[in-house]
Amino acid sequence: AQRVTQPEKLLSVFKGAPVELKCNYSYSGSPELFWYVQYSRQRLQLLLRHISRESIKGFTADLNKGETSFHLKKPFAQEEDSAMYYCALKVGGNEKLTFGTGTRLTIIP
Amino acid sequence: DADVTQTPRNRITKTGKRIMLECSQTKGHDRMYWYRQDPGLGLRLIYYSFDVKDINKGEISDGYSVSRQAQAKFSLSLESAIPNQTALYFCATSEAAGTGTHGTQYFGPGTRLTVL
């Protein structure tokens, strides 16, 4: 069965420093990977998906099939980036998402 | 996204009571999902439905049941609530395969359920 691992439950970064939230997955086929974010008192929402190859709010994520990783990166952290981040995996024609356990990112002013 | 709503937003109940959580959406999506969120465990899928006549169990369906009353409504029931069902429950929707945003799920605001 597919699995998503986010090794860091908590991550604190100073404002202006680079951010990297790690995500590894286990699946032998061609997955679709997503990052979802939950800001304080807001609902969970899509941040970005790998097939769009886009940058959202300064965040990017590259799918590395060799390392089975989809790490989320931002070169300069901002205070408004403080939130809970979930990596999620969709496989094949299956519409279900498998979520990681999440990383709570705190940006220190 | 205000297109996905959940009621109630908060509920405190006692062990053994029957509870129903409701989800409604105006996005016109066929697919609907129920998750529970627990600290350190992330989101886990309880049930999902790809259309009105299709109901499927997720990874943690024991102790729960669902009803898809219409395309826009998907209810989650706890037949006899127990304390370890205390959690934050989320409803989500998504478009069918073949559309531009399929795979993207849109979440409701959540229902915080406490079972005493």
Side-chain angles (χ1 to χ4, degrees):
Chain A
Q2 61 270 19
R3 187 173 208 171
V4 177
T5 302
Q6 293 180 251
E8 304 136 330
K9 288 189 176 181
L10 303 171
L11 181 64
S12 295
V13 174
F14 284 101
K15 178 182 174 181
V19 176
E20 182 177 50
L21 286 78
K22 292 184 167 52
C23 172
N24 288 90
Y25 65 91
S26 61
Y27 179 63
S28 57
S30 294
E32 285 187 55
L33 276 297
F34 304 78
W35 276 99
Y36 280 80
V37 61
Q38 189 174 26
Y39 300 104
S40 179
R41 301 183 182 182
Q42 294 187 28
R43 63 186 70 194
L44 195 64
Q45 58 187 285
L46 178 71
L47 178 62
L48 55 81
R49 50 193 299 187
H50 91 270
I51 61 173
S52 300
R53 302 185 66 82
E54 57 198 345
S55 174
I56 303 293
K57 299 185 178 182
F59 285 98
T60 59
D62 292 319
L63 178 61
N64 186 324
K65 291 187 178 180
E67 296 183 358
T68 59
S69 68
F70 188 58
H71 304 326
L72 184 67
K73 299 177 183 180
K74 184 170 183 176
F76 307 104
Q78 298 175 295
E79 288 184 62
E80 54 265 34
D81 296 329
S82 292
M84 191 74 174
Y85 291 80
Y86 290 98
C87 183
L89 166 70
K90 188 173 84 72
V91 301
N94 194 326
E95 299 293 321
K96 295 186 296 178
L97 289 177
T98 299
F99 285 86
T101 52
T103 298
R104 182 167 296 283
L105 175 65
T106 300
I107 305 303
I108 305 166
Chain B
D1 191 323
D3 295 340
V4 184
T5 57
Q6 293 182 232
T7 55
R9 295 293 310 280
N10 287 282
R11 182 70 185 269
I12 299 173
T13 191
K14 294 182 179 180
T15 297
K17 295 290 188 181
R18 184 177 188 274
I19 295 297
M20 179 180 285
L21 309 182
E22 299 187 344
C23 177
S24 295
Q25 53 112 348
T26 58
K27 299 185 77 66
H29 291 168
D30 287 325
R31 286 142 167 75
M32 298 187 74
Y33 311 81
W34 274 106
Y35 294 90
R36 64 177 280 176
Q37 183 185 44
D38 298 276
L41 297 178
L43 278 79
R44 293 180 292 167
L45 183 63
I46 307 172
Y47 269 96
Y48 61 104
S49 169
F50 285 173
D51 64 40
V52 175
K53 297 181 181 179
D54 176 80
I55 301 289
N56 303 280
K57 292 182 177 181
E59 59 182 297
I60 55 163
S61 59
D62 287 349
Y64 301 95
S65 63
V66 290
S67 173
R68 185 79 183 269
Q69 301 96 321
Q71 186 203 39
K73 296 184 182 295
F74 192 36
S75 300
L76 176 72
S77 293
L78 287 67
E79 297 301 325
S80 180
I82 56 177
N84 76 1
Q85 291 178 313
T86 293
L88 189 55
Y89 290 84
F90 286 103
C91 173
T93 73
S94 70
E95 290 190 276
T99 61
T101 63
H102 100 272
T104 300
Q105 293 189 8
Y106 299 86
F107 285 80
T111 294
R112 186 168 296 281
L113 176 66
T114 302
V115 183
L116 301 176

